[in-house]
Amino acid sequence: MSDPAIGRLHPLPAADALTDGDLTALYDDPRRAPWVRVNFVSSLDGAATVQGLSAGLGGDADHRVFDLLRRLCDVVVVGAGTVRAEGYGAMRVDRAAQRAREGAGLAAHPVFAIVSAHLELDPGSAVFTDAPVRPLVVTTEAAPRRQREALAAVADVLVCGVDRVDPAAMVAALADRGLARIHCEGGPHLFADLIAAGVVDELCLTVSPLLVAGTASRIAAGATPDVPLELELAHVLNADGTLLLRYVRP
Ligand SMILES: NC(=O)c1ccc[n+]([C@@H]2O[C@H](COP(=O)([O-])OP(=O)(O)OC[C@H]3O[C@@H](n4cnc5c(N)ncnc54)[C@H](OP(=O)(O)O)[C@@H]3O)[C@@H](O)[C@H]2O)c1
């Protein structure tokens, strides 16, 4: 299947469809270390899911950028709710992505870091058994001891907080391990915690031309920051009515 055409609207509209190299140049722009990027897809009316999953929102262009962003990070961080809902498997990128990552001086595969307080994660699942790199489980002091020990057999367990994972402590712990390019794929409760902790450096948001209504979650739900976090627009891409927005912390 050929790549879905993606054009640039801002800055300066580009006449030609963007190549993978163009897209990489637009997104490969960490301005500090550590750098926390978050990626979401939303409907026009703000829904983060259709029938409980994000799959009904993202089209080919969203998938293209979703895959590209996995090429540009050291670690992919995901909340346990999303891992369970979306049925995540191992964090394994394809051969082309491995080559691109290695060419850029990164490990062949990103590390998979799962954030969970309750540790209702199956150590026998493909997330762990099929992992090309030992995953991380980021949890709390209060996490159930038995589950923690079981997961420690298949993952490195990082304790970053008492009852909930403290995002600032998590970012510091990841950076200490050399994982400074941090890419978060959600979900909404983890994102709200990252916002409230003031650690978000970038949001990549795909806006799909759909109206979903209903009671679906927004892309951030739960914790509230003292003051809303302000980001500035880095680019707007258009793929047949789907907008690919990139906002960064000034
Ligand atoms: N539109 C999109 O781009 C997008 C992206 C991602 C997900 N989603 C959707 O979002 C839905 C899931 O929403 P969600 O809010 O439940 O997702 P979530 O934030 O991934 O999961 C929440 C769970 O993650 C863990 N967690 C998150 N922050 C934590 C913290 N600071 N400390 C400790 N544990 C923390 C907890 O797991 P434990 O319960 O194990 O303690 C918590 O119950 C799914 O329907 C998914 O499809 C949509």
Side-chain angles (χ1 to χ4, degrees), residues 35-245:
W35 182 262
V36 179
R37 164 188 277 158
V38 181
N39 184 40
F40 270 96
V41 58
S42 164
S43 68
L44 288 176
D45 55 338
T49 55
V50 177
Q51 292 169 348
L53 293 175
S54 58
L57 293 171
D60 291 344
D62 177 62
H63 296 156
R64 189 174 167 195
V65 170
F66 183 92
D67 289 344
L68 178 94
L69 297 181
R70 285 192 175 176
R71 295 184 181 195
L72 303 176
C73 62
D74 297 311
V75 57
V76 177
V77 177
V78 187
T82 296
V83 171
R84 291 187 288 257
E86 299 274 346
Y88 267 70
M91 188 55 58
R92 180 182 286 284
V93 298
D94 65 19
R95 270 308 297 158
Q98 290 172 42
R99 275 195 298 274
R101 290 178 53 85
E102 287 171 335
L106 299 172
H109 298 275
V111 176
F112 193 7
I114 302 164
V115 180
S116 172
H118 299 97
L119 297 184
E120 281 164 18
L121 300 164
D122 177 4
S125 77
V127 167
F128 302 105
T129 58
D130 193 30
V133 186
R134 192 173 167 83
L136 299 175
V137 171
V138 188
T139 192
T140 64
E141 289 171 23
R145 218 182 73 204
R146 248 213 186 144
Q147 266 300 87
R148 191 166 138 183
E149 284 167 6
L151 288 164
V154 293
D156 286 357
V157 177
L158 302 183
V159 175
C160 298
V162 181
D163 296 315
R164 284 193 71 72
V165 168
D166 169 0
M170 174 178 76
V171 168
L174 294 175
D176 275 355
R177 299 173 76 98
L179 306 173
R181 296 174 66 152
I182 299 166
H183 176 49
C184 178
E185 294 181 354
H189 281 89
L190 177 57
F191 186 30
D193 284 350
L194 299 180
I195 294 169
V199 303
V200 177
D201 294 302
E202 172 179 343
L203 173 64
C204 295
L205 177 64
T206 300
V207 179
S208 287
L210 294 170
L211 293 171
V212 168
T215 56
S217 171
R218 301 160 50 205
I219 64 168
T224 320
D226 294 337
V227 247
L229 188 65
E230 190 171 345
L231 302 179
E232 66 184 23
L233 184 63
H235 70 228
V236 180
L237 312 180
N238 171 39
D240 202 21
T242 292
L243 295 182
L244 300 154
L245 311 175

Side-chain angles (χ1 to χ4, degrees), residues 8-25:
R8 193 175 71 215
L9 299 177
H10 172 88
L12 295 180
D16 298 324
L18 301 175
T19 63
D20 279 351
D22 296 332
L23 284 171
T24 301

